[in-house]
Amino acid sequence: MDKTKIKELQELATRVREHIIRMSTNGGCFTGASLSCADLIVYLYSEYLNVNTNNLKDPNRDYLFLSKGHDVPALYGTLAELGFIEKDRLKNHLLTKDSIYWHPNVNIPGIEFHSGSLGHLPSVGIGVAMDCKLKNQTNRVIVITGDGEMNEGTFWEAILVANAYKLDNLVILVDRNHFQANIRTEDLIPLEPLVDKFKAFNCTVNRIDGHNFEALEAAFKGLKYDSGKVNVIIADTIRGKGLPSIEERADRWFCNFNADEIQDLLKELHGELNATLESETLIVR
C-alpha cells in the first residue's frame, strides 16, 4: 500500500470520526467504541469487501456483519462517505422520522442484519457462510465483534460450529479495545491469552495494530480461504481513538456532549486544541 493510498484512507477515517463526534449529542451514542473501530470499517468497505452501491442485492457480494452493533456510528459514517446513504441523513440520528439510531437497521442501504444483543452475530455469519458454501459461491463473510462480546457463551459455541463445518470463508475481526462498557476486560473476565484461545478452537489467527492501514492490508490480503479453518484477525485498538480527551477513559464509553463540546472535539480531532469537557459521564455497574 503506497503512501498516497494510506493518506486517502486516513483522511476518510478522519471524516468518519467527524460524523461520529457529531452524532455524540442530542441523546448521544457509544462514541468511544465507535472511534476504536472506524479504521477497520473504513478499510473493509474501501479496499477489501466486494460490496458497493451497485451490488447490494447481488448474491455474490461479500457480507459484513457488525456484531458490536452499538458501534454503528462508525458504520453510518463510512456508508455516508462512500455514497450508500446521503450524508444529510446522519442529522436524523435518534429522530423517529428515520432509521439512524443506536444499532444497525436493515432499512439502511449497506446494513445486512439488525444487531443489538451482543455476541450473537457470529452465529448469523455462520449461517450465511454455510449457505455460500452449499451454493459453491466465493463470498467472504466478515463479522466484526467486540472483545467484551466474547464473554457471551454463544460466541465460542459459534466458533466451534464454524470450524466443525470448515467455514474458511468466515472471518472474525475482533476490535480489541480492551474495554467492556466502563470497565477494562482484563479486570472483569480476563480474555488473554486470546491468540492461544482461538488457536485452541482450531482457528487461523493473526494479531495486528487495528489503526495501521498497512497492517490491515497485509492481514486481509494474507487470509487463506481454502484452509478449512475459520480466519480470525485480532485488531488491537484504542477506545476513543483520535480524541485524546476521551481515549481509554472508562467513563466516556457512551457520550452525550453539548454543542460547544462537539465543536471543541472536532478541533481536537484535527490537533487544534484539547477539548474541555463538562458534560455528564456515564458509569454502570
Side-chain angles (χ1 to χ4, degrees):
M1 183 177 289
D2 61 38
K3 292 182 179 179
T4 300
K5 174 56 67 174
I6 293 171
K7 183 178 179 181
E8 289 176 358
L9 291 172
Q10 290 172 339
E11 290 174 348
L12 174 56
T14 296
R15 295 196 298 274
V16 169
R17 287 187 166 91
E18 289 174 347
H19 291 308
I20 294 170
I21 293 168
R22 293 190 182 101
M23 282 183 272
S24 302
T25 190
N26 297 326
C29 66
F30 296 90
T31 309
S34 298
L35 291 168
S36 76
C37 73
D39 297 317
L40 309 180
I41 294 176
V42 163
Y43 172 77
L44 288 170
Y45 274 93
S46 299
E47 297 297 312
Y48 191 72
L49 292 171
N50 175 30
V51 58
N52 54 62
T53 56
N54 297 316
N55 72 347
L56 293 178
K57 300 299 182 182
D58 187 340
N60 294 305
R61 71 187 183 280
D62 291 337
Y63 293 87
L64 184 141
F65 297 102
L66 185 62
S67 188
K68 49 180 313 193
H70 52 277
D71 291 9
V72 73
L75 181 54
Y76 291 150
T78 302
L79 294 177
E81 284 294 325
L82 297 180
F84 288 77
I85 59 175
E86 299 82 6
K87 293 179 184 179
D88 281 348
R89 282 189 68 181
L90 300 184
K91 297 177 183 178
N92 298 335
H93 185 237
L94 301 184
L95 299 181
T96 55
K97 67 180 181 180
D98 207 331
S99 301
I100 308 289
Y101 64 97
W102 282 331
H103 289 90
N105 186 317
V106 293
N107 291 320
I108 299 171
I111 293 181
E112 299 283 0
F113 201 87
H114 295 276
S115 55
S117 298
L118 296 173
H120 298 322
L121 257 62
S123 298
V124 174
I126 284 173
V128 174
M130 185 177 294
D131 180 66
C132 294
K133 284 278 190 181
L134 291 172
K135 294 176 179 176
N136 293 314
Q137 296 175 180
T138 58
N139 317 60
R140 298 169 296 189
V141 181
I142 315 290
V143 179
I144 299 179
T145 180
D147 42 11
E149 284 189 89
M150 291 187 284
N151 291 334
E152 172 62 62
T154 56
F155 178 92
W156 296 102
E157 293 172 14
I159 301 300
L160 284 173
V161 171
N163 273 317
Y165 286 95
K166 303 184 186 304
L167 299 181
D168 47 22
N169 57 339
L170 177 66
V171 181
I172 303 295
L173 175 57
V174 181
D175 180 9
R176 182 68 167 117
N177 66 24
H178 299 265
F179 276 92
Q180 180 175 337
N182 52 252
I183 190 169
R184 288 187 178 273
T185 58
E186 303 311 286
D187 293 333
L188 184 61
I189 300 176
L191 291 170
E192 298 296 347
L194 200 50
V195 170
D196 293 344
K197 284 184 170 69
F198 278 114
K199 285 185 176 179
F201 276 65
N202 202 37
C203 300
T204 299
V205 191
N206 192 2
R207 190 164 194 164
I208 62 169
D209 176 354
H211 299 304
N212 184 311
F213 287 113
E214 288 180 293
L216 284 165
E217 174 91 344
F220 276 94
K221 291 298 177 65
L223 290 176
K224 296 181 179 180
Y225 291 103
D226 58 358
S227 67
K229 297 182 178 182
V230 172
N231 292 286
V232 175
I233 296 176
I234 302 169
D236 285 302
T237 61
I238 297 171
R239 195 165 76 171
K241 175 66 174 177
L243 298 178
S245 62
I246 70 167
E247 282 184 355
E248 298 189 288
R249 279 184 56 175
D251 61 342
R252 288 295 185 184
W253 61 298
F254 182 92
C255 301
N256 186 19
F257 298 116
N258 61 46
D260 290 339
E261 289 173 329
I262 293 295
Q263 293 306 310
D264 282 355
L265 288 166
L266 288 169
K267 292 176 181 177
E268 181 176 270
L269 179 66
H270 291 277
E272 296 174 14
L273 55 76
N274 294 322
T276 299
L277 305 177
E278 299 178 350
S279 58
E280 185 178 357
T281 60
L282 181 63
I283 296 291
V284 177
R285 287 288 188 264

